[in-house]
Amino acid sequence: MTIPLVDFLGLSAILFAIGAVGVLVRKNPLIMFMSVEIMWNAVNLTFAAFARHWVNMAGHIFVFIVVTVAAAEVAIGLIIVVFVFRQRERLDVDELSSMKG
Amino acid sequence: MLANVIFWIAAVIAVAMAVTVVAAKRPMHAVVALVANFVMLGVLFLLLHAEFLAIIEVIVYAGAVVVLFLFVVALLLTGVSAPREDEGPKLLAQTPLAIILGAAILCLAGFAVAINLTLGPTPGVPEAFGSITLFGEELFTTYLLPFELTALVLLVAVIGVVFLARERH
């Protein structure tokens, strides 16, 4: 008895929506990054579920590439957070308004 | 049957931990919840016959990525006198608007799921599907070029981090 594809897709949709709400509702860049990670993972779950459904390894390869890009993104993003914090002593994305037109 | 039970347990914990990450007052709590979320995702990958993905989910995400987050949280927020107050006042109606937009995203994704309801039952899989052997074969033959490009992406990330972290005079 296999688990239906729709269950995985529904779970992945819920996780993606939670991550999106996290990015919108929080102002701490660290938590926003973690919410983005949840969204990456929801998409990865969709890829793996469809790979299982079509019995095709391409989805697995794509998840691997997504994980690599996510790791690079976290490294760059976190060092930017560190720099912003060193300059402003506070973690709040609303304070970063120096590029406002 | 057992697979269904495991799926629902893992799914409920994953969603609960995702909500904890979003709602956590302290970043450290969010990091711990994030680890639990990643481990549950690993369980779900195992249920999908994605052995290698389950392994990299736990090693790369719950290991490397979360350790990076932990470093930053521990580095930045231990010396702060009031770590709870690292967020200023919210924008006008930020939370309700965010939840409405989240619900909209969920409706859109639910619509996409509903379209896929007609895809039919998932077929059985051959024994080798998702194994590290088959994954490696695919990665180093059919998908060699994307694999090499990910190496380039990581190289650029490393150079970027070193450039940003250099001593300024």
Side-chain angles (χ1 to χ4, degrees):
Chain A
M1 180 65 201
T2 53
I3 303 153
L5 171 69
V6 172
D7 288 6
F8 281 102
L9 295 185
L11 172 64
S12 146
I14 291 169
L15 284 176
F16 190 90
I18 292 172
V21 169
V23 172
L24 293 170
V25 88
R26 296 301 298 257
K27 293 167 66 174
N28 183 334
L30 282 172
I31 308 265
M32 289 170 77
F33 262 120
M34 291 180 211
S35 304
V36 171
E37 294 303 315
I38 292 173
M39 290 164 81
W40 286 109
N41 269 298
V43 175
N44 283 350
L45 189 64
T46 310
F47 275 123
F50 273 110
R52 169 72 186 79
H53 188 81
W54 301 117
V55 196
N56 187 336
M57 286 298 283
H60 289 196
I61 306 286
F62 206 95
V63 172
F64 176 77
I65 291 167
V66 167
V67 169
T68 318
V69 173
E73 173 252 3
V74 166
I76 299 275
L78 285 180
I79 194 134
I80 292 173
V81 171
V82 170
F83 271 103
V84 168
F85 185 79
R86 274 194 200 155
Q87 286 190 349
R88 304 189 180 246
E89 294 292 310
R90 261 163 69 85
L91 283 178
D92 188 335
V93 286
D94 282 343
E95 295 201 350
L96 308 177
S97 55
S98 57
M99 288 176 81
K100 198 188 248 174
Chain B
M1 192 60 216
L2 180 65
N4 281 51
V5 174
I6 295 173
F7 171 81
W8 285 110
I9 294 173
V12 168
I13 297 178
V15 170
M17 288 301 129
V19 172
T20 311
V21 170
V22 171
K25 285 272 185 289
R26 286 166 170 269
M28 193 61 92
H29 296 174
V31 170
V32 175
L34 196 64
V35 174
N37 186 44
F38 287 159
V39 172
M40 287 305 126
L41 258 295
V43 171
L44 292 169
F45 281 138
L46 275 184
L47 287 175
L48 286 167
H49 293 262
E51 292 168 22
F52 184 69
L53 295 188
I55 293 169
I56 60 170
E57 179 76 23
V58 172
I59 293 179
V60 176
Y61 268 117
V65 167
V66 167
V67 166
L68 269 182
F69 273 112
L70 269 182
F71 264 125
V72 174
V73 171
L75 194 70
L76 294 189
L77 301 180
T78 45
V80 180
S81 52
R84 283 170 191 277
E85 293 163 19
D86 55 354
E87 291 195 18
K90 297 237 182 258
L91 304 178
L92 178 68
Q94 186 177 2
T95 309
L97 279 179
I99 289 172
I100 290 169
L101 280 171
I105 290 171
L106 193 59
C107 287
L108 197 64
F111 178 66
V113 172
I115 291 172
N116 286 315
L117 281 173
T118 53
L119 278 177
T122 303
V125 282
E127 193 62 34
F129 179 76
S131 69
I132 296 175
T133 317
L134 187 59
F135 186 90
E137 272 176 28
E138 291 274 320
L139 188 63
F140 291 117
T141 54
T142 320
Y143 301 100
L144 186 60
L145 183 64
F147 174 68
E148 298 288 349
L149 287 178
T150 59
L152 192 67
V153 168
L154 285 178
L155 181 70
V156 170
V158 169
I159 292 172
V161 169
V162 171
F163 175 76
L164 286 172
R166 76 195 188 284
E167 289 278 334
R168 283 185 173 77
H169 297 290

